[in-house]
């Protein structure tokens, strides 16, 4: 009876205070739905705010929605099949063209070959994407023999279509996933269809899906994770059912996949994490649940969204290390201990004395990425570059000129008896074996790093001066600790000046044979650039041990791999005269990327989003906050709104807010990054802006009844939808040569396929 009284009073007065009384009465989702049918018949009794904040929260679940109020619009199988057909056909069309290496295929195709050949390499990204590319190539008959030297190299008889096709298939899933996500969030077939159409006919999305790249693989896992999250949220009224567990586990699997391809996957992990926190907060406020049930919910999410994805992520690296067991171009980026596990490396199954001693002949490797070996040669520093003494550099390759002899500071070691071991705090002199000059430093400035001191080779046959003396310091060690080959991190402190031996990572000019600068740094903070390890160690007076006993265990190489990848990522700085894309360029489609070809005789492909599509996205990003703010104010102030308008307002604020947050998480962090940036970095954010556009424009067009009455508002809505569809299709017709390739005259020349379409001077097609 109480429920009926509240509803009657609301129908009779329609005022805000009575509305609040009704809100107290309505406590179940069933009650919320009960009046909606009858009330919608009375056009003049509409009101906003029929849900309280508590009601909204209890009916909303993890994805911030009032789904209980929405009439579900089930996906049409015919429409879905049509979208699948269009998506796959636009991505797989001309997949073998051009038949040569395009843009970053030179990197990721080559890395796929390394997996097939089991050759170790280094990349700044986690390994899953390259592993899948290699697997796709292997399964389709590619033998891993194509060198992928540079863009433009002809594939000839090599079977490359399997790797391109694999990426295209994953890219074809993106519009389908977006359609299903928007349909699930908004329950609007129209919003979902707008989203899918925007993505299917976007030239940028097509181009980035058609080549051997990590991007379509990354985007697949990001979208699959979001779809799984949304589906899991839908199961909130069936906790711990089979479907509930299925979508929870799939969310975790796809999060591991996204992070396993690129570290950008952290952004979608953050999105799912925020969603989960909101979900658990909602559950904590459900007084019908016991603390034991709440604990079960919490533990299930810890297992499904943290522990299981972490296990999968670590497993990816375990497979990576098992498969890539042969020495290759990536050896030099890793420590000597890491290299000792690679077949074909000179440290593999080698034997040498375990601890450094006076009288030993050694090589010394810097611990920064590509830091190189301490090296010298007969060439002198040129006039005007410090003191005109013998050059000391870091050299990235193994060489006889990397050998140094360890002496006491005052005399040469006797050749008989057991030599003394070098310990933390000992003073040594390092003599270059080939030239017999000592490692030396003085107060002259370094060649490139002007605040550092120059390091040279000085003296001859062991004679020199006090500037040849260095103190050995084992990082994290104490006085008396021994220096272990491969494993100990060592610093060399110059006794006379107090500086520390340092590899700057800067490349010397031609007079330095383009080797890496070595300096003596007055800044004593421990960094990889000032840390070294002993790699080769020769001393006939000491017993040898097998280096297999010094091999690092799995967790050590896993940690080292991540340190090297993170340093490598942060070290990706723009080179001289290299175009560095800026984040503000991306939403406005300011500049694309040349994938293939430059002149009118070459097959040209240019990565650029369909301008009409991307500018529609840009408009929706500006329009959405305004519409959401208006909807929020209308609900808060209790404006008289229809039931359908209230539903639209909640979808706009909650589901639209989720997508807007996702766009921000995948876009805003790039403003803080110091590394070089490219246009394609925006594509994860672009997917979320596409989905937000679908919801925003759908609700905007459905709001025409605020301006004109029926049936004219329906006609205006249909007209708007048709204009939007026509604009997308016609712009795709105009710009499709960017994706599928073009030859002949350039855009500014008569007779070009793109004549008159270079709407911005910054476009380079």
């Amino acid at each position: 009876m109480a429920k009926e009284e509240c509803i009657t009073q609301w129908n009779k007065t329609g005022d805000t205070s009575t509305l609040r009384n009704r809100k107290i009465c309505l406590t179940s989702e069933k009650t919320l739905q009960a009046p909606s049918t009858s009330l919608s018949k009375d056009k003049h009794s509409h009101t906003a705010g029929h849900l309280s904040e508590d009601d909204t929260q209890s009916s909303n679940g993890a994805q911030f929605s009032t789904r209980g109020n929405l009439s579900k619009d089930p996906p049409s199988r015919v429409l879905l099949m049509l979208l699948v057909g269009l998506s796959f056909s636009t991505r797989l069309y001309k997949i073998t063209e051009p038949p040569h290496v395009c843009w970053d295929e030179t990197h990721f195709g080559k890395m796929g070959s390394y997996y097939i050949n089991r050759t170790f390499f280094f990349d700044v990204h986690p390994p899953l994407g390259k592993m899948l590319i290699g697997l796709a190539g292997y399964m389709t008959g590619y033998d891993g023999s194509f060198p992928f030297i540079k863009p433009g190299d002809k594939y000839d008889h090599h079977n490359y279509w399997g790797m391109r096709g694999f990426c295209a298939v994953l890219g074809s899933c993106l519009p389908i996933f977006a359609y299903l996500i928007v349909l699930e969030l908004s329950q609007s077939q129209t919003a979902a269809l707008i989203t899918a159409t925007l993505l299917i006919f976007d030239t940028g999305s097509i181009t980035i899906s058609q080549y051997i790249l990590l991007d379509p693989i990354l985007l697949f896992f990001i979208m699959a994770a979001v779809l799984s999250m949304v589906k899991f949220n839908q199961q909130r009224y069936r906790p711990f059912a089979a479907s509930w567990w299925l979508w929870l586990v799939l969310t975790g699997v796809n999060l591991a996949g996204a992070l396993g391809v690129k570290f950008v996957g952290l952004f979608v992990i953050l999105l799912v994490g925020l969603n989960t926190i909101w979900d658990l907060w909602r559950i904590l406020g459900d007084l019908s649940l016991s603390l034991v049930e709440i604990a079960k919910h919490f533990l299930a999410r810890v297992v499904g969204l943290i522990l299981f994805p972490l296990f999968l992520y670590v497993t990816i690296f375990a497979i990576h290390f098992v498969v890539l067991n042969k020495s290759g171009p990536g050896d030099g980026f890793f420590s000597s201990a890491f290299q000792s596990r690679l077949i074909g490396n000179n440290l593999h199954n080698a034997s040498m004395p375990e601890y450094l001693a006076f009288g030993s002949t050694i090589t010394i490797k810097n611990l920064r990425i590509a830091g190189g070996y301490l090296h010298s040669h007969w060439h002198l520093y040129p006039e005007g570059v410090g003191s005109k003494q013998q050059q000391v550099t870091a050299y990235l390759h193994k060489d006889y000129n990397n050998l140094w002899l360890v002496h006491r500071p005052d005399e040469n070691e006797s050749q008989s008896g057991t030599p003394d071991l070098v310990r933390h705090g000992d003073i040594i002199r390092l003599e270059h074996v080939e030239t017999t000059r000592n490692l030396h430093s003085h107060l002259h400035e370094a060649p490139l790093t002007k605040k550092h001191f120059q390091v040279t080779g000085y003296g001859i046959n062991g004679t020199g001066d006090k500037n040849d003396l260095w103190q050995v310091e084992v990082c994290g060690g104490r006085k008396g600790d021994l220096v272990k080959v491969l494993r100990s991190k060592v610093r060399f402190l110059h006794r006379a000046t107090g500086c520390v031996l340092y590899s700057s990572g800067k490349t010397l000019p031609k007079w330095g044979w383009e080797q890496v600068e070595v300096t003596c740094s007055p800044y004593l903070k421990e960094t990889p650039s000032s840390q070294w390890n002993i790699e080769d160690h020769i001393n006939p007076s000491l017993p040898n041990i097998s280096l297999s006993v010094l091999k690092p265990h799995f967790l050590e190489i896993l940690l080292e791999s991540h340190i090297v990848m993170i340093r490598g990522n942060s070290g990706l700085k723009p080179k001289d005269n290299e175009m560095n894309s800026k984040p503000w360029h991306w939403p406005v489609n300011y500049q694309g990327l040349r994938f293939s070809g430059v002149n009118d005789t070459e097959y040209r492909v240019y990565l650029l989003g369909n301008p009409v599509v991307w500018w529609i996205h840009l408009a929706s990003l500006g329009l959405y906050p305004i519409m959401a703010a208006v909807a929020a104010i209308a609900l808060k102030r209790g404006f008289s709104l229809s039931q359908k308008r209230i539903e639209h307002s909640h979808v706009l604020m909650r589901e639209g807010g989720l997508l807007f947050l996702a766009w921000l998480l995948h876009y805003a962090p790039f403003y803080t990054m110091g590394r070089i940036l490219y246009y394609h970095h925006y594509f994860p954010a672009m997917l979320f802006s596409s989905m937000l556009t679908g919801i925003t424009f759908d609700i905007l067009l459905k709001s025409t009844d605020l301006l004109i009455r029926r049936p004219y508002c329906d006609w205006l809505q249909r007209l708007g939808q048709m204009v939007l569809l026509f604009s997308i299709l016609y712009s795709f017709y105009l710009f499709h040569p960017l994706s599928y390739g073009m030859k002949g005259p350039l855009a500014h020349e008569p007779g070009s396929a793109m004549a008159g379409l270079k709407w911005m001077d910054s476009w380079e097609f």
Side-chain angles (χ1 to χ4, degrees):
M1 285 299 294
K3 176 173 70 174
E4 291 173 0
E5 287 171 9
C6 290
I7 293 171
T8 304
Q9 190 178 22
W10 183 83
N11 278 326
K12 189 189 277 189
T13 66
D15 83 34
T16 308
S17 61
T18 312
L19 173 64
R20 291 197 179 100
N21 292 334
R22 172 184 173 273
K23 288 190 286 187
I24 296 169
C25 299
L26 302 181
T27 56
S28 70
E29 190 176 15
K30 196 180 236 182
T31 309
L32 284 171
Q33 289 175 316
S36 64
T37 306
S38 59
L39 295 178
S40 62
K41 294 177 185 175
D42 184 358
K43 190 171 182 181
H44 302 290
S45 64
H46 301 325
T47 185
H50 72 301
L51 288 173
S52 73
E53 215 171 296
D54 292 336
D55 290 331
T56 301
Q57 194 178 56
S58 66
S59 66
N60 134 16
Q63 64 186 34
F64 325 135
S65 109
T66 51
R67 190 184 313 280
N69 271 6
L70 299 176
S71 56
K72 183 159 184 176
D73 197 357
S76 163
R77 289 191 178 183
V78 175
L79 178 59
L80 188 58
M81 288 299 101
L82 176 63
L83 295 177
V84 168
L86 286 171
S87 186
F88 275 79
S89 60
T90 52
R91 271 72 182 163
L92 293 172
Y93 177 61
K94 298 181 74 172
I95 193 67
T96 57
E97 297 292 330
H100 60 246
V101 178
C102 294
W103 194 51
D104 269 359
E105 285 188 327
T106 187
H107 299 303
F108 302 120
K110 182 187 297 182
M111 292 170 187
S113 298
Y114 285 145
Y115 277 105
I116 294 172
N117 297 313
R118 306 192 68 177
T119 303
F120 187 76
F121 67 93
F122 164 70
D123 185 42
V124 297
H125 305 300
L128 179 60
K130 284 95 64 180
M131 289 170 61
L132 293 175
I133 287 171
L135 179 62
Y138 179 76
M139 296 294 288
T140 53
Y142 172 60
D143 61 4
S145 61
F146 186 73
F148 287 96
I149 296 174
K150 65 183 185 302
D153 288 350
K154 299 288 186 183
Y155 283 117
D156 295 326
H157 63 280
H158 294 278
N159 191 346
Y160 63 96
W161 64 265
M163 293 182 284
R164 278 192 183 174
F166 169 72
C167 293
V169 166
L170 295 189
S172 301
C173 295
L174 302 180
I176 313 306
F177 288 169
Y179 171 83
L180 295 173
I181 291 168
V182 172
L183 185 62
E184 193 69 48
L185 289 176
S186 68
Q187 303 301 334
S188 169
Q189 196 84 253
T190 306
L193 186 58
I194 291 172
T195 299
T197 305
L198 288 167
L199 287 175
I200 287 173
F201 297 107
D202 174 44
T203 50
S205 299
I206 292 171
T207 306
I208 204 137
S209 299
Q210 287 194 310
Y211 297 91
I212 306 170
L213 303 172
L214 297 185
D215 299 270
I217 307 173
L218 171 69
L219 298 175
F220 173 87
F221 281 116
I222 288 175
M223 292 295 280
V226 174
L227 177 61
S228 301
M229 177 189 78
V230 169
K231 288 286 190 181
F232 172 70
N233 292 338
Q234 175 74 351
Q235 302 296 317
R236 66 188 178 280
Y237 297 119
R238 304 178 61 204
F240 307 109
S243 57
W244 187 92
W245 280 109
L246 172 66
W247 291 113
L248 177 66
V249 169
L250 283 178
T251 304
V253 168
N254 289 305
L255 290 179
L259 187 60
V261 176
K262 281 188 177 184
F263 287 128
V264 172
L266 286 168
F267 300 150
V268 76
I269 290 176
L270 181 57
L271 176 68
V272 173
L274 292 173
N275 178 80
T276 304
I277 290 170
W278 179 269
D279 189 21
L280 290 172
W281 183 252
R282 175 188 61 82
I283 291 170
L284 187 63
D286 188 346
L287 300 182
S288 66
L289 296 177
S290 67
L291 290 178
V292 172
E293 289 174 308
I294 292 173
K296 286 180 181 178
H297 275 279
F298 176 77
L299 290 175
R301 286 158 176 79
V302 168
V303 172
L305 299 178
I306 299 177
L307 298 182
F308 185 56
L310 184 62
F311 168 75
L312 293 178
Y313 181 74
V314 171
T315 302
I316 290 167
F317 277 88
I319 297 170
H320 169 73
F321 294 136
V322 168
V323 173
L324 301 185
N325 63 351
K326 297 178 182 178
S327 178
D331 294 17
F333 291 92
F334 290 81
S335 68
S336 305
F338 188 101
Q339 295 179 43
S340 68
R341 48 178 294 280
L342 298 172
I343 299 170
N345 189 284
N346 69 311
L347 297 176
H348 182 69
N349 289 337
S351 60
M352 60 183 66
E354 183 175 8
Y355 296 105
L356 180 64
F358 291 102
S360 296
T361 300
I362 61 173
T363 59
I364 305 171
K365 188 176 186 299
N366 188 254
L367 296 188
R368 66 170 286 124
I369 295 176
Y373 297 90
L374 189 65
H375 177 95
S376 189
H377 40 233
W378 289 104
H379 303 281
L380 306 181
Y381 286 102
E383 196 71 43
V385 181
S387 177
K388 195 175 179 182
Q389 296 177 3
Q390 185 170 295
Q391 295 176 17
V392 172
T393 64
Y395 189 48
L396 299 180
H397 307 283
K398 298 180 187 293
D399 186 84
Y400 183 74
N401 280 329
N402 299 341
L403 293 174
W404 299 82
L405 193 57
V406 183
H407 289 298
R408 289 187 179 279
D410 50 354
E411 59 182 356
N412 292 332
E413 282 62 47
S414 64
Q415 300 301 312
S416 60
T418 302
D420 292 334
L421 300 178
V422 177
R423 299 175 183 273
H424 177 94
D426 283 354
I427 310 299
I428 65 170
R429 178 168 52 83
L430 289 171
E431 179 187 321
H432 188 242
V433 170
E434 172 65 12
T435 63
T436 71
R437 299 189 190 277
N438 297 326
L439 185 69
H440 177 98
S441 187
H442 43 222
L443 296 177
H444 294 274
E445 67 180 19
L448 302 178
T449 310
K450 299 303 183 181
K451 293 184 178 180
H452 290 195
F453 302 134
Q454 184 186 36
V455 175
T456 68
Y458 178 75
I460 192 163
N461 292 327
T463 61
D465 61 21
K466 63 180 182 179
N467 285 333
D468 302 339
L469 302 183
W470 302 82
Q471 183 173 352
V472 176
E473 180 185 277
V474 179
C475 297
R478 295 176 296 178
K479 188 171 179 61
D481 285 354
L482 298 174
V483 179
K484 182 177 284 191
V485 172
L486 301 187
R487 305 307 296 271
S488 292
K489 296 179 181 179
V490 179
R491 300 206 308 165
F492 298 97
L493 274 68
H494 191 240
R495 292 287 291 172
T497 63
C499 57
V500 61
L501 192 66
Y502 188 93
S503 172
S504 70
K506 299 176 182 177
T507 302
L508 294 168
K510 291 190 183 299
W511 57 255
W513 303 93
E514 297 182 338
Q515 296 174 11
V516 178
E517 179 192 40
V518 168
T519 68
C520 198
S521 171
Y523 309 106
L524 301 184
K525 181 181 177 181
E526 285 190 9
T527 68
S529 295
S530 65
Q531 294 174 327
W532 307 76
N533 72 268
I534 310 303
E535 183 167 295
D536 297 289
H537 184 206
I538 304 167
N539 194 320
S541 302
L542 292 174
N544 290 338
I545 64 162
S546 171
L547 293 187
S548 60
V549 303
L550 300 178
K551 283 182 182 177
H553 53 69
F554 173 71
L555 290 181
E556 284 182 294
I557 61 177
L558 179 67
L559 178 61
E560 180 176 347
S561 294
H562 281 78
I563 292 172
V564 171
M565 284 189 294
I566 292 168
R567 288 179 189 161
N569 251 313
S570 61
L572 292 174
K573 306 295 183 185
K575 299 175 184 175
D576 292 340
N577 302 319
E578 185 175 9
M579 180 64 69
N580 183 25
S581 182
K582 293 179 172 54
W584 71 264
H585 291 174
W586 305 338
V588 299
N589 217 21
Y590 180 77
Q591 189 175 43
L593 268 172
R594 187 179 288 116
F595 265 41
S596 172
V598 177
N599 57 51
D600 58 1
T601 63
E602 296 176 321
Y603 192 96
R604 303 189 303 279
V605 176
Y606 190 69
L607 176 66
L608 184 74
N610 181 331
V612 172
V613 169
W614 282 52
W615 292 339
I616 290 173
H617 293 166
L618 187 62
S620 76
L621 288 170
L623 197 58
Y624 169 75
I626 298 171
M627 291 176 59
V630 169
I633 293 170
L635 289 178
K636 197 70 174 175
R637 296 298 301 168
F639 291 171
S640 179
L641 298 173
S642 68
Q643 176 70 19
K644 190 169 288 186
R645 185 77 58 233
I646 293 170
E647 292 174 1
H648 291 165
S649 297
H650 283 295
V651 168
L652 192 65
M653 291 190 301
R654 305 293 166 81
E655 279 66 32
L658 179 65
L659 294 174
F660 188 73
L661 173 64
W663 174 78
L664 276 177
L665 290 175
H666 286 81
Y667 175 55
F670 287 102
Y671 282 94
T672 67
M673 294 184 186
R675 58 154 290 172
I676 188 170
L677 299 173
Y678 296 103
Y679 174 66
H680 69 98
H681 288 144
Y682 183 65
F683 276 80
M686 186 276 293
L687 293 175
F688 292 105
S689 71
S690 297
M691 292 186 282
L692 181 63
T693 300
I695 289 178
T696 302
F697 272 79
D698 177 46
I699 292 177
L700 179 67
L701 292 173
K702 287 177 178 175
S703 301
T704 52
D705 60 348
L706 293 173
L707 302 175
I708 53 178
R709 59 188 176 84
R710 294 181 185 276
Y712 305 111
C713 63
D714 296 330
W715 298 349
L716 183 58
Q717 180 181 336
R718 294 287 176 262
L719 178 62
Q721 292 169 350
M722 294 303 296
V723 169
L724 185 63
L725 179 62
F726 176 78
S727 301
I728 295 168
L729 294 178
Y730 185 63
S731 61
F732 174 70
Y733 167 74
L734 292 176
F735 287 94
H736 77 273
L738 295 179
S739 295
Y740 297 128
M742 50 196 166
K743 286 185 178 180
L746 304 179
H748 62 277
E749 298 171 345
S752 170
M754 302 303 295
L757 295 176
K758 193 176 180 184
W759 297 345
M760 297 181 72
D761 291 337
S762 51
W763 296 347
E764 299 172 315
F765 56 78

